[in-house]
mmCIF file of all heavy atoms in Angstrom:
data_model
loop_
_atom_site.group_PDB
_atom_site.id
_atom_site.type_symbol
_atom_site.label_atom_id
_atom_site.label_comp_id
_atom_site.label_asym_id
_atom_site.label_seq_id
_atom_site.Cartn_x
_atom_site.Cartn_y
_atom_site.Cartn_z
ATOM 1 N N THR A 465 84.173 -76.213 -146.151
ATOM 2 C CA THR A 465 84.805 -76.609 -147.389
ATOM 3 C C THR A 465 86.304 -76.556 -147.149
ATOM 4 O O THR A 465 87.070 -77.457 -147.738
ATOM 5 C CB THR A 465 84.479 -75.715 -148.552
ATOM 6 O OG1 THR A 465 82.942 -75.741 -148.563
ATOM 7 C CG2 THR A 465 85.077 -76.116 -149.721
ATOM 8 N N ASN A 466 86.876 -75.554 -146.483
ATOM 9 C CA ASN A 466 88.316 -75.476 -146.294
ATOM 10 C C ASN A 466 88.885 -76.457 -145.422
ATOM 11 O O ASN A 466 90.063 -76.751 -145.701
ATOM 12 C CB ASN A 466 88.562 -74.050 -145.680
ATOM 13 C CG ASN A 466 88.240 -72.774 -146.581
ATOM 14 O OD1 ASN A 466 88.196 -72.986 -147.857
ATOM 15 N ND2 ASN A 466 88.003 -71.729 -145.959
ATOM 16 N N LEU A 467 88.001 -77.181 -144.679
ATOM 17 C CA LEU A 467 88.627 -78.237 -143.795
ATOM 18 C C LEU A 467 88.918 -79.357 -144.567
ATOM 19 O O LEU A 467 89.709 -80.233 -144.184
ATOM 20 C CB LEU A 467 87.470 -78.564 -142.726
ATOM 21 C CG LEU A 467 87.231 -77.609 -141.600
ATOM 22 C CD1 LEU A 467 86.175 -78.014 -140.713
ATOM 23 C CD2 LEU A 467 88.659 -77.436 -140.743
ATOM 24 N N TYR A 468 88.281 -79.589 -145.754
ATOM 25 C CA TYR A 468 88.586 -80.704 -146.548
ATOM 26 C C TYR A 468 89.997 -80.705 -147.150
ATOM 27 O O TYR A 468 90.531 -81.721 -147.674
ATOM 28 C CB TYR A 468 87.571 -81.010 -147.703
ATOM 29 C CG TYR A 468 86.320 -81.487 -147.146
ATOM 30 C CD1 TYR A 468 85.242 -80.695 -146.906
ATOM 31 C CD2 TYR A 468 86.212 -82.917 -146.920
ATOM 32 C CE1 TYR A 468 84.080 -81.213 -146.295
ATOM 33 C CE2 TYR A 468 85.060 -83.449 -146.437
ATOM 34 C CZ TYR A 468 83.954 -82.541 -146.084
ATOM 35 O OH TYR A 468 82.784 -83.103 -145.668
ATOM 36 N N GLN A 469 90.521 -79.458 -147.160
ATOM 37 C CA GLN A 469 91.965 -79.288 -147.633
ATOM 38 C C GLN A 469 92.908 -79.439 -146.500
ATOM 39 O O GLN A 469 94.133 -79.310 -146.677
ATOM 40 C CB GLN A 469 91.991 -77.898 -148.268
ATOM 41 C CG GLN A 469 91.117 -77.856 -149.432
ATOM 42 C CD GLN A 469 91.048 -76.337 -150.042
ATOM 43 O OE1 GLN A 469 91.894 -75.529 -149.654
ATOM 44 N NE2 GLN A 469 90.090 -76.159 -150.761
ATOM 45 N N SER A 470 92.464 -79.633 -145.227
ATOM 46 C CA SER A 470 93.479 -79.786 -144.027
ATOM 47 C C SER A 470 93.731 -81.352 -143.902
ATOM 48 O O SER A 470 93.176 -82.205 -144.609
ATOM 49 C CB SER A 470 92.640 -79.245 -142.851
ATOM 50 O OG SER A 470 91.550 -79.933 -142.475
ATOM 51 N N THR A 471 94.391 -81.612 -142.854
ATOM 52 C CA THR A 471 94.872 -83.058 -142.506
ATOM 53 C C THR A 471 93.636 -83.861 -142.017
ATOM 54 O O THR A 471 92.683 -83.234 -141.396
ATOM 55 C CB THR A 471 95.893 -83.098 -141.491
ATOM 56 O OG1 THR A 471 95.457 -82.449 -140.215
ATOM 57 C CG2 THR A 471 97.132 -82.313 -141.950
ATOM 58 N N ALA A 472 93.599 -85.136 -142.194
ATOM 59 C CA ALA A 472 92.562 -85.937 -141.763
ATOM 60 C C ALA A 472 92.260 -85.978 -140.165
ATOM 61 O O ALA A 472 91.250 -85.938 -139.772
ATOM 62 C CB ALA A 472 92.699 -87.414 -142.252
ATOM 63 N N GLY A 473 93.376 -85.818 -139.407
ATOM 64 C CA GLY A 473 93.302 -85.872 -138.005
ATOM 65 C C GLY A 473 92.633 -84.651 -137.522
ATOM 66 O O GLY A 473 91.738 -84.609 -136.595
ATOM 67 N N THR A 474 93.029 -83.407 -138.133
ATOM 68 C CA THR A 474 92.218 -82.162 -137.746
ATOM 69 C C THR A 474 90.875 -82.179 -138.102
ATOM 70 O O THR A 474 90.023 -81.616 -137.475
ATOM 71 C CB THR A 474 93.021 -80.960 -138.321
ATOM 72 O OG1 THR A 474 94.286 -81.044 -137.917
ATOM 73 C CG2 THR A 474 92.380 -79.666 -137.833
ATOM 74 N N LEU A 475 90.615 -82.821 -139.250
ATOM 75 C CA LEU A 475 89.111 -82.856 -139.900
ATOM 76 C C LEU A 475 88.210 -83.433 -138.988
ATOM 77 O O LEU A 475 87.068 -82.892 -138.905
ATOM 78 C CB LEU A 475 89.326 -83.598 -141.257
ATOM 79 C CG LEU A 475 88.002 -83.632 -142.040
ATOM 80 C CD1 LEU A 475 87.737 -82.242 -142.490
ATOM 81 C CD2 LEU A 475 88.176 -84.627 -143.233
ATOM 82 N N VAL A 476 88.515 -84.498 -138.229
ATOM 83 C CA VAL A 476 87.433 -85.215 -137.487
ATOM 84 C C VAL A 476 86.871 -84.276 -136.442
ATOM 85 O O VAL A 476 85.722 -84.175 -136.391
ATOM 86 C CB VAL A 476 88.052 -86.431 -136.845
ATOM 87 C CG1 VAL A 476 87.131 -87.172 -135.927
ATOM 88 C CG2 VAL A 476 88.398 -87.435 -137.927
ATOM 89 N N ASP A 477 87.763 -83.677 -135.618
ATOM 90 C CA ASP A 477 87.272 -82.797 -134.500
ATOM 91 C C ASP A 477 86.613 -81.547 -134.920
ATOM 92 O O ASP A 477 85.506 -81.136 -134.522
ATOM 93 C CB ASP A 477 88.341 -82.426 -133.595
ATOM 94 C CG ASP A 477 88.919 -83.760 -132.822
ATOM 95 O OD1 ASP A 477 88.179 -84.723 -132.729
ATOM 96 O OD2 ASP A 477 90.127 -83.711 -132.481
ATOM 97 N N SER A 478 87.245 -80.938 -136.043
ATOM 98 C CA SER A 478 86.669 -79.619 -136.574
ATOM 99 C C SER A 478 85.312 -79.800 -137.160
ATOM 100 O O SER A 478 84.434 -78.950 -136.968
ATOM 101 C CB SER A 478 87.728 -79.002 -137.526
ATOM 102 O OG SER A 478 88.886 -78.863 -136.968
ATOM 103 N N VAL A 479 85.177 -80.835 -138.008
ATOM 104 C CA VAL A 479 83.881 -81.044 -138.675
ATOM 105 C C VAL A 479 82.868 -81.376 -137.671
ATOM 106 O O VAL A 479 81.706 -80.711 -137.744
ATOM 107 C CB VAL A 479 84.006 -82.219 -139.677
ATOM 108 C CG1 VAL A 479 82.588 -82.618 -140.245
ATOM 109 C CG2 VAL A 479 84.790 -81.747 -140.870
ATOM 110 N N SER A 480 83.140 -82.012 -136.667
ATOM 111 C CA SER A 480 82.043 -82.301 -135.583
ATOM 112 C C SER A 480 81.615 -81.005 -135.023
ATOM 113 O O SER A 480 80.371 -80.871 -134.735
ATOM 114 C CB SER A 480 82.711 -83.246 -134.604
ATOM 115 O OG SER A 480 82.957 -84.465 -135.082
ATOM 116 N N THR A 481 82.523 -80.160 -134.602
ATOM 117 C CA THR A 481 82.248 -78.773 -134.106
ATOM 118 C C THR A 481 81.264 -78.099 -134.988
ATOM 119 O O THR A 481 80.255 -77.455 -134.629
ATOM 120 C CB THR A 481 83.430 -77.929 -133.700
ATOM 121 O OG1 THR A 481 84.278 -78.759 -132.915
ATOM 122 C CG2 THR A 481 83.125 -76.734 -133.153
ATOM 123 N N ILE A 482 81.698 -77.877 -136.274
ATOM 124 C CA ILE A 482 80.946 -77.131 -137.243
ATOM 125 C C ILE A 482 79.554 -77.663 -137.478
ATOM 126 O O ILE A 482 78.479 -77.064 -137.675
ATOM 127 C CB ILE A 482 81.730 -77.002 -138.510
ATOM 128 C CG1 ILE A 482 83.075 -76.207 -138.320
ATOM 129 C CG2 ILE A 482 80.885 -76.291 -139.596
ATOM 130 C CD1 ILE A 482 83.833 -76.053 -139.501
ATOM 131 N N ARG A 483 79.475 -79.058 -137.524
ATOM 132 C CA ARG A 483 78.232 -79.762 -137.616
ATOM 133 C C ARG A 483 77.293 -79.305 -136.497
ATOM 134 O O ARG A 483 76.102 -79.025 -136.735
ATOM 135 C CB ARG A 483 78.347 -81.283 -137.631
ATOM 136 C CG ARG A 483 78.772 -81.860 -138.916
ATOM 137 C CD ARG A 483 79.198 -83.247 -138.632
ATOM 138 N NE ARG A 483 78.046 -84.103 -138.261
ATOM 139 C CZ ARG A 483 77.260 -84.691 -139.199
ATOM 140 N NH1 ARG A 483 77.461 -84.536 -140.397
ATOM 141 N NH2 ARG A 483 76.211 -85.407 -138.766
ATOM 142 N N ARG A 484 77.662 -79.235 -135.312
ATOM 143 C CA ARG A 484 76.890 -78.827 -134.112
ATOM 144 C C ARG A 484 76.390 -77.329 -134.300
ATOM 145 O O ARG A 484 75.286 -76.910 -134.065
ATOM 146 C CB ARG A 484 77.576 -78.852 -132.913
ATOM 147 C CG ARG A 484 77.743 -80.397 -132.449
ATOM 148 C CD ARG A 484 78.314 -80.598 -130.938
ATOM 149 N NE ARG A 484 79.584 -79.921 -130.830
ATOM 150 C CZ ARG A 484 80.731 -80.616 -130.839
ATOM 151 N NH1 ARG A 484 80.678 -81.813 -131.124
ATOM 152 N NH2 ARG A 484 81.918 -80.020 -130.638
ATOM 153 N N GLU A 485 77.331 -76.512 -134.847
ATOM 154 C CA GLU A 485 77.030 -75.096 -135.111
ATOM 155 C C GLU A 485 76.018 -74.853 -136.151
ATOM 156 O O GLU A 485 75.008 -74.160 -135.994
ATOM 157 C CB GLU A 485 78.316 -74.199 -135.456
ATOM 158 C CG GLU A 485 79.321 -74.156 -134.436
ATOM 159 C CD GLU A 485 80.584 -73.441 -134.891
ATOM 160 O OE1 GLU A 485 80.544 -73.102 -135.988
ATOM 161 O OE2 GLU A 485 81.513 -73.273 -133.972
ATOM 162 N N ILE A 486 76.116 -75.592 -137.186
ATOM 163 C CA ILE A 486 75.222 -75.538 -138.319
ATOM 164 C C ILE A 486 73.803 -76.150 -137.956
ATOM 165 O O ILE A 486 72.818 -75.495 -138.274
ATOM 166 C CB ILE A 486 75.758 -76.245 -139.534
ATOM 167 C CG1 ILE A 486 77.119 -75.557 -140.168
ATOM 168 C CG2 ILE A 486 74.682 -76.352 -140.657
ATOM 169 C CD1 ILE A 486 77.748 -76.238 -141.222
ATOM 170 N N GLN A 487 73.877 -77.162 -137.159
ATOM 171 C CA GLN A 487 72.598 -77.739 -136.738
ATOM 172 C C GLN A 487 71.803 -76.661 -135.770
ATOM 173 O O GLN A 487 70.553 -76.695 -135.974
ATOM 174 C CB GLN A 487 72.832 -79.024 -135.904
ATOM 175 C CG GLN A 487 71.537 -79.810 -135.502
ATOM 176 C CD GLN A 487 70.886 -80.412 -136.744
ATOM 177 O OE1 GLN A 487 71.423 -81.197 -137.392
ATOM 178 N NE2 GLN A 487 69.601 -79.924 -136.898
ATOM 179 N N LEU A 488 72.479 -75.943 -135.020
ATOM 180 C CA LEU A 488 71.763 -75.082 -134.231
ATOM 181 C C LEU A 488 71.188 -73.904 -135.037
ATOM 182 O O LEU A 488 70.054 -73.509 -134.873
ATOM 183 C CB LEU A 488 72.889 -74.296 -133.308
ATOM 184 C CG LEU A 488 72.339 -73.118 -132.543
ATOM 185 C CD1 LEU A 488 71.301 -73.516 -131.561
ATOM 186 C CD2 LEU A 488 73.481 -72.386 -131.731
ATOM 187 N N VAL A 489 71.888 -73.498 -136.030
ATOM 188 C CA VAL A 489 71.328 -72.408 -137.048
ATOM 189 C C VAL A 489 70.168 -73.126 -137.795
ATOM 190 O O VAL A 489 69.093 -72.371 -137.922
ATOM 191 C CB VAL A 489 72.277 -71.941 -137.873
ATOM 192 C CG1 VAL A 489 71.849 -70.896 -138.960
ATOM 193 C CG2 VAL A 489 73.479 -71.287 -137.179
ATOM 194 N N ILE A 490 70.282 -74.304 -138.332
ATOM 195 C CA ILE A 490 69.258 -74.922 -139.109
ATOM 196 C C ILE A 490 67.918 -75.020 -138.348
ATOM 197 O O ILE A 490 66.846 -74.768 -138.915
ATOM 198 C CB ILE A 490 69.765 -76.270 -139.726
ATOM 199 C CG1 ILE A 490 70.734 -76.022 -140.903
ATOM 200 C CG2 ILE A 490 68.634 -77.113 -140.160
ATOM 201 C CD1 ILE A 490 70.105 -75.458 -142.126
ATOM 202 N N ASN A 491 68.102 -75.332 -137.111
ATOM 203 C CA ASN A 491 66.919 -75.473 -136.117
ATOM 204 C C ASN A 491 66.129 -74.183 -135.948
ATOM 205 O O ASN A 491 65.002 -74.200 -135.499
ATOM 206 C CB ASN A 491 67.446 -75.998 -134.857
ATOM 207 C CG ASN A 491 67.791 -77.507 -134.860
ATOM 208 O OD1 ASN A 491 67.508 -78.245 -135.914
ATOM 209 N ND2 ASN A 491 68.453 -77.936 -133.922
ATOM 210 N N MET A 492 66.800 -73.124 -136.346
ATOM 211 C CA MET A 492 66.185 -71.722 -136.071
ATOM 212 C C MET A 492 65.853 -71.072 -137.292
ATOM 213 O O MET A 492 65.133 -69.985 -137.256
ATOM 214 C CB MET A 492 67.077 -70.918 -135.292
ATOM 215 C CG MET A 492 67.555 -71.453 -133.879
ATOM 216 S SD MET A 492 68.796 -70.590 -133.158
ATOM 217 C CE MET A 492 67.882 -69.025 -132.784
ATOM 218 N N ILE A 493 66.046 -71.510 -138.497
ATOM 219 C CA ILE A 493 65.691 -70.798 -139.649
ATOM 220 C C ILE A 493 65.150 -71.649 -140.674
ATOM 221 O O ILE A 493 65.348 -72.687 -141.013
ATOM 222 C CB ILE A 493 67.072 -70.124 -140.203
ATOM 223 C CG1 ILE A 493 66.802 -69.304 -141.533
ATOM 224 C CG2 ILE A 493 68.083 -71.312 -140.674
ATOM 225 C CD1 ILE A 493 67.912 -68.501 -142.029
ATOM 226 N N ASP A 494 63.960 -71.040 -141.393
ATOM 227 C CA ASP A 494 63.431 -71.711 -142.472
ATOM 228 C C ASP A 494 64.002 -71.111 -143.745
ATOM 229 O O ASP A 494 63.865 -70.046 -144.075
ATOM 230 C CB ASP A 494 61.840 -71.505 -142.498
ATOM 231 C CG ASP A 494 61.180 -72.255 -141.316
ATOM 232 O OD1 ASP A 494 61.635 -73.208 -140.987
ATOM 233 O OD2 ASP A 494 60.287 -71.566 -140.729
ATOM 234 N N THR A 495 64.869 -72.020 -144.470
ATOM 235 C CA THR A 495 65.428 -71.521 -145.582
ATOM 236 C C THR A 495 64.503 -71.391 -146.778
ATOM 237 O O THR A 495 63.348 -71.959 -146.599
ATOM 238 C CB THR A 495 66.510 -72.402 -146.110
ATOM 239 O OG1 THR A 495 66.000 -73.693 -146.217
ATOM 240 C CG2 THR A 495 67.710 -72.464 -144.983
ATOM 241 N N PRO A 496 64.776 -70.545 -147.876
ATOM 242 C CA PRO A 496 63.702 -70.402 -148.907
ATOM 243 C C PRO A 496 63.719 -71.678 -149.734
ATOM 244 O O PRO A 496 63.214 -71.554 -151.017
ATOM 245 C CB PRO A 496 64.369 -69.239 -149.603
ATOM 246 C CG PRO A 496 65.796 -69.316 -149.463
ATOM 247 C CD PRO A 496 65.965 -69.687 -147.995
ATOM 248 N N PHE A 497 64.145 -72.763 -149.272
ATOM 249 C CA PHE A 497 64.028 -74.044 -150.042
ATOM 250 C C PHE A 497 63.639 -75.036 -148.918
ATOM 251 O O PHE A 497 63.524 -74.716 -147.778
ATOM 252 C CB PHE A 497 65.290 -74.338 -150.803
ATOM 253 C CG PHE A 497 66.486 -73.862 -150.180
ATOM 254 C CD1 PHE A 497 67.251 -74.666 -149.425
ATOM 255 C CD2 PHE A 497 67.055 -72.664 -150.644
ATOM 256 C CE1 PHE A 497 68.405 -74.180 -148.813
ATOM 257 C CE2 PHE A 497 68.307 -72.201 -150.189
ATOM 258 C CZ PHE A 497 68.885 -72.932 -149.270
ATOM 259 N N SER A 498 63.545 -76.310 -149.349
ATOM 260 C CA SER A 498 62.990 -77.328 -148.280
ATOM 261 C C SER A 498 64.047 -77.493 -147.234
ATOM 262 O O SER A 498 65.307 -77.444 -147.445
ATOM 263 C CB SER A 498 62.659 -78.564 -149.090
ATOM 264 O OG SER A 498 63.911 -79.300 -149.497
ATOM 265 N N SER A 499 63.481 -78.041 -146.055
ATOM 266 C CA SER A 499 64.422 -78.418 -145.041
ATOM 267 C C SER A 499 65.451 -79.507 -145.331
ATOM 268 O O SER A 499 66.500 -79.440 -144.823
ATOM 269 C CB SER A 499 63.598 -78.805 -143.777
ATOM 270 O OG SER A 499 62.767 -79.925 -143.997
ATOM 271 N N GLN A 500 64.922 -80.560 -146.228
ATOM 272 C CA GLN A 500 65.976 -81.494 -146.612
ATOM 273 C C GLN A 500 66.933 -80.957 -147.392
ATOM 274 O O GLN A 500 68.209 -81.358 -147.392
ATOM 275 C CB GLN A 500 65.179 -82.573 -147.346
ATOM 276 C CG GLN A 500 66.002 -83.734 -147.746
ATOM 277 C CD GLN A 500 66.636 -84.365 -146.454
ATOM 278 O OE1 GLN A 500 65.928 -84.751 -145.506
ATOM 279 N NE2 GLN A 500 67.848 -84.676 -146.468
ATOM 280 N N ASP A 501 66.659 -79.921 -148.369
ATOM 281 C CA ASP A 501 67.736 -79.306 -148.979
ATOM 282 C C ASP A 501 68.744 -78.665 -148.179
ATOM 283 O O ASP A 501 69.908 -78.699 -148.379
ATOM 284 C CB ASP A 501 67.154 -78.228 -150.014
ATOM 285 C CG ASP A 501 66.494 -78.890 -151.296
ATOM 286 O OD1 ASP A 501 66.830 -80.099 -151.663
ATOM 287 O OD2 ASP A 501 65.583 -78.314 -151.773
#
Side-chain angles (χ1 to χ4, degrees):
T465 301
N466 292 337
L467 287 175
Y468 282 98
Q469 301 171 13
S470 64
T471 62
T474 305
L475 183 65
V476 175
D477 295 333
S478 301
V479 168
S480 298
T481 301
I482 295 176
R483 281 169 62 90
R484 288 194 295 271
E485 293 175 358
I486 296 179
Q487 185 67 63
L488 173 64
V489 178
I490 286 291
N491 288 341
M492 298 175 64
I493 182 172
D494 292 323
T495 58
F497 29 89
S498 73
S499 58
Q500 186 57 50
D501 285 335

